[in-house]
Amino acid sequence: MTRLETDVLIVGGGLGGVAAALAALRRGIRVVLTEQYAWLGGQLTSQIVPPDESYWVEQFGITASYRSLRDGIRDYYRENYPLTDRARATRELNPGLGRVSRLCHEPRVAVAVIDAMLAPHRASGRLIVLQPAVPVAASVDGDVVTSVTVDHGGVLTEITASFVLDATETGDLLPLTGTEYVVGAESRADTGEPSAAETADPRNVQAITWCFAFDHEEGADHTIARPAGYDHFRAMQPEFWGAPLLSFTAPDPRTLEPVTRTMRVNPPLKGHEAADQRTDAGDRDLWEFRRILARENFREGFLDSDVVIANWPMLDYLDGSIIDSDDAETHLAGAKELARSYVYWLQTEAPRPDGGTGFPGLRLRPDIAGTADGFAQAPYIRESRRIVARRTIVEQDISVRLRGHGGPATFADTVGVGMYRIDIHPSTGGDNYIDVECAPFEIPLGALIPVRMRNLLPAAKNIGTTHITNGAYRLHPVEWNIGESAGELAAFCAERGLEPRDVAGDEQLVAAFQSRLTEAGIEIHWPEIIGY
């Protein structure tokens, strides 16, 4: 076993972990950051999911460092790719012209920008990154985490730190450290939320999705081998789906009515209308929905085909949860087998506009995903274990209907902002979508403070939300803001000899911390805008 000592240990190198590291490092704090997969960036990179963001993202509602990430991605394309003159001059360049976001791009470009943001800190020696590394044990003295042990490529490394941040995708440090947490769906009696279930069920979590990258080569045959699980998934038809799972049909998240999508392979170039999820979720055409490279943006001959990320309802894995489950590995394999089965269905049985079946020219893109097979390095995980926090955010706090208006949902101890509809995908407990009109919201400091642990902080999707409100607080810019504020809080406490609960319990310290966040470019309040 090897040993390391640092000021702040951040376990998990997703968006929250990266943001937390940058926040602590800019304060001169030493950081060790660990990550399971080959790429830092989590849902944006190893899970290959283009950013889900609010309508106002280009104007406000994100932190300055998250804006630097987005600007860096656009600059990377301008500096390195043969863009058309029109695309290069477009301030809000969207490389893929995807409908899900105003910035749809390759995951590898985000990796390059994240690595560049961290590079000077690695050079200074204040940042150590262990990759690939997974937490396997922790030592705890009462309410204090004294060390965490990670498996770093077969070598066990014990890391001691004054503050420990859990930025893993599923809150892996919470059970290792004995931190009180909730997983799955709470009951309506527990939370008072109208959208909550009658009965609590820790096994009922949002579906995971194993995404893949693809393009299309006309006249070629890239059909993969028939997956072993193909017949199982081909026969599957959830009660509320309205069609077999392997189809172009899925429930509309807002109406719950079955809707048949289109997939127009390499549609004619025609310009593009910016995504506006207030009125249009953008998912009616699967090709355009999460397209990450659009031929229209590049000089003639550069791309023979657009490049698309598949993260669609039909890929949501419903057979079981991977959290606190003895069958986690089985369900991970099942999620990937569903994705393979959908690829095979697209290549062999999907209805074409010309009346034929199958798109054999559909080609997986390993180079885009950073894998050998074109599927993401990791599944897209929407829901985590969640700390039992000093403050739990509930549906009543942020629902437009329950609050009676769409103005911002405010908290006196706000440490950031976010905006997304309460968007809960079909779940492993058999639930259909839950989709609730949401107000622009703030992130309360109390949701980052465990009820008991003194030096452990959540830094991703594991804050004090419920199964319902996690649906709004789980997206890219919010996870980044949570991590950045957690990193700032660790540094604030380290400099002053405080514990996080000391700050949360003192109005003057809360105000001082909020001023520090504002100076760092973290927006803690919304302007008066109307939610959707």
Side-chain angles (χ1 to χ4, degrees):
M1 180 179 291
T2 61
R3 289 175 172 81
L4 289 172
E5 183 273 329
T6 190
D7 299 318
V8 174
L9 167 63
I10 302 168
V11 180
L15 288 175
V18 169
L22 287 167
L25 288 161
R26 70 186 173 217
R27 302 295 181 181
I29 302 294
R30 296 176 303 149
V31 173
V32 172
L33 173 65
T34 75
E35 166 55 24
Q36 179 176 357
Y37 296 100
W39 288 348
L40 296 173
Q43 58 180 317
L44 188 64
T45 60
S46 59
Q47 298 172 33
I48 65 171
V49 179
D52 289 290
E53 300 167 331
S54 79
Y55 171 76
W56 305 286
V57 66
E58 303 295 354
Q59 287 77 43
F60 44 76
I62 57 176
T63 76
S65 64
Y66 186 78
R67 190 168 301 284
S68 293
L69 171 65
R70 297 177 88 254
D71 290 345
I73 289 168
R74 285 173 167 150
D75 288 344
Y76 192 96
Y77 280 96
R78 292 189 181 100
E79 293 168 6
N80 296 290
Y81 282 66
L83 297 169
T84 64
D85 291 341
R86 177 180 177 182
R88 188 176 303 280
T90 301
R91 178 182 176 275
E92 297 176 4
L93 171 65
N94 189 347
L97 298 177
R99 299 286 297 161
V100 72
S101 170
R102 298 187 173 215
L103 180 59
C104 293
H105 56 86
E106 298 160 273
R108 191 182 296 276
V109 172
V111 174
V113 176
I114 288 170
D115 286 346
M117 295 172 80
L118 292 172
H121 304 291
R122 296 173 99 159
S124 74
R126 284 194 294 272
L127 171 64
I128 296 173
V129 179
L130 301 182
Q131 202 176 2
V134 294
V136 294
S139 296
V140 178
D141 182 6
D143 301 337
V144 175
V145 181
T146 55
S147 71
V148 175
T149 299
V150 299
D151 182 341
H152 178 218
V155 176
L156 294 181
T157 301
E158 183 183 49
I159 308 160
T160 59
S162 300
F163 296 92
V164 176
L165 276 57
D166 184 345
T168 61
E169 297 297 321
T170 52
D172 296 341
L173 288 190
L174 305 184
L176 286 179
T177 59
T179 300
E180 291 81 1
Y181 69 89
V182 178
V183 65
E186 298 92 344
S187 72
R188 194 170 304 159
D190 291 333
T191 66
E193 296 171 306
S195 298
E198 289 292 340
T199 304
D201 184 356
R203 299 165 299 177
N204 186 18
V205 301
Q206 286 200 64
I208 64 172
T209 299
W210 214 299
C211 305
F212 56 88
F214 69 96
D215 64 7
H216 186 269
E217 187 178 14
E218 192 65 39
D221 188 347
H222 294 288
T223 305
I224 64 173
R226 184 185 179 98
Y230 185 68
D231 290 339
H232 167 74
F233 290 112
R234 189 173 185 272
M236 184 178 290
Q237 183 170 331
E239 180 181 346
F240 52 80
W241 209 261
L245 191 62
L246 302 189
S247 70
F248 284 146
T249 299
D252 179 281
R254 301 185 188 183
T255 68
L256 303 185
E257 293 297 319
V259 173
T260 299
R261 276 72 169 178
T262 59
M263 192 179 83
R264 300 172 301 143
V265 172
N266 284 318
L269 308 180
K270 59 176 178 56
H272 179 72
E273 180 183 351
D276 183 353
Q277 292 202 14
R278 295 175 302 174
T279 57
D280 176 14
D283 65 346
R284 288 300 182 261
D285 185 83
L286 298 177
W287 185 275
E288 291 187 349
F289 186 35
R290 281 189 164 90
R291 181 174 51 194
I292 58 170
L293 287 177
R295 292 163 296 149
E296 184 171 348
N297 275 331
F298 301 92
R299 292 178 188 165
E300 187 173 353
F302 177 66
L303 292 176
D304 295 324
S305 169
D306 298 339
V307 179
V308 175
I309 297 295
N311 175 21
W312 308 325
M314 308 80 169
L315 302 176
D316 288 356
Y317 178 78
L318 305 174
D319 284 355
S321 171
I322 63 170
I323 302 176
D324 293 346
S325 168
D326 294 335
D327 298 323
E329 292 302 319
T330 297
H331 293 315
L332 285 168
K336 195 166 187 180
E337 188 72 352
L338 168 58
R340 287 195 194 95
S341 296
Y342 200 79
V343 170
Y344 185 77
W345 178 82
L346 285 172
Q347 292 173 325
T348 61
E349 295 194 67
R352 297 197 309 261
D354 64 6
T357 56
F359 298 89
L362 187 150
R363 175 176 59 179
L364 290 165
R365 290 291 301 269
D367 55 318
I368 296 290
T371 59
D373 57 9
F375 295 88
Q377 297 168 25
Y380 179 32
I381 295 175
R382 297 179 174 90
E383 187 170 337
S384 172
R385 299 176 182 89
R386 305 178 295 278
I387 64 165
V388 178
R390 289 173 62 108
R391 170 68 185 259
T392 299
I393 305 156
V394 294
E395 184 179 4
Q396 300 91 303
D397 291 324
I398 61 175
S399 162
V400 170
R401 181 179 67 84
L402 298 179
R403 298 171 68 247
H405 65 93
T410 61
F411 300 95
D413 61 346
T414 174
V415 294
V417 298
M419 173 60 209
Y420 209 73
R421 291 177 72 94
I422 296 177
D423 172 25
I424 303 174
H425 279 235
S427 64
T428 56
D431 296 334
N432 200 344
Y433 280 97
I434 299 174
D435 191 275
V436 177
E437 187 179 13
C438 186
F441 51 79
E442 295 173 352
I443 304 166
L445 176 60
L448 274 66
I449 310 298
V451 291
R452 181 178 59 86
M453 300 301 285
R454 294 161 54 189
N455 71 332
L456 182 141
L457 291 169
K461 297 183 287 288
N462 50 354
I463 65 170
T465 56
T466 64
H467 172 68
I468 301 300
T469 56
N470 165 73
Y473 279 76
R474 66 181 175 83
L475 286 311
H476 302 65
V478 185
E479 182 187 342
W480 183 281
N481 195 152
I482 290 166
E484 187 169 359
S485 294
E488 283 282 1
L489 180 58
F492 185 83
C493 290
E495 292 168 5
R496 289 163 174 77
L498 299 170
E499 295 179 357
R501 61 184 181 180
D502 297 333
V503 179
D506 186 308
E507 289 184 4
Q508 289 185 331
L509 286 173
V510 169
F513 181 56
Q514 290 173 323
S515 294
R516 179 182 173 112
L517 295 180
T518 301
E519 291 166 2
I522 297 173
E523 297 180 19
I524 63 171
H525 297 297
W526 281 96
E528 287 293 332
I529 53 176
I530 301 301
Y532 60 93

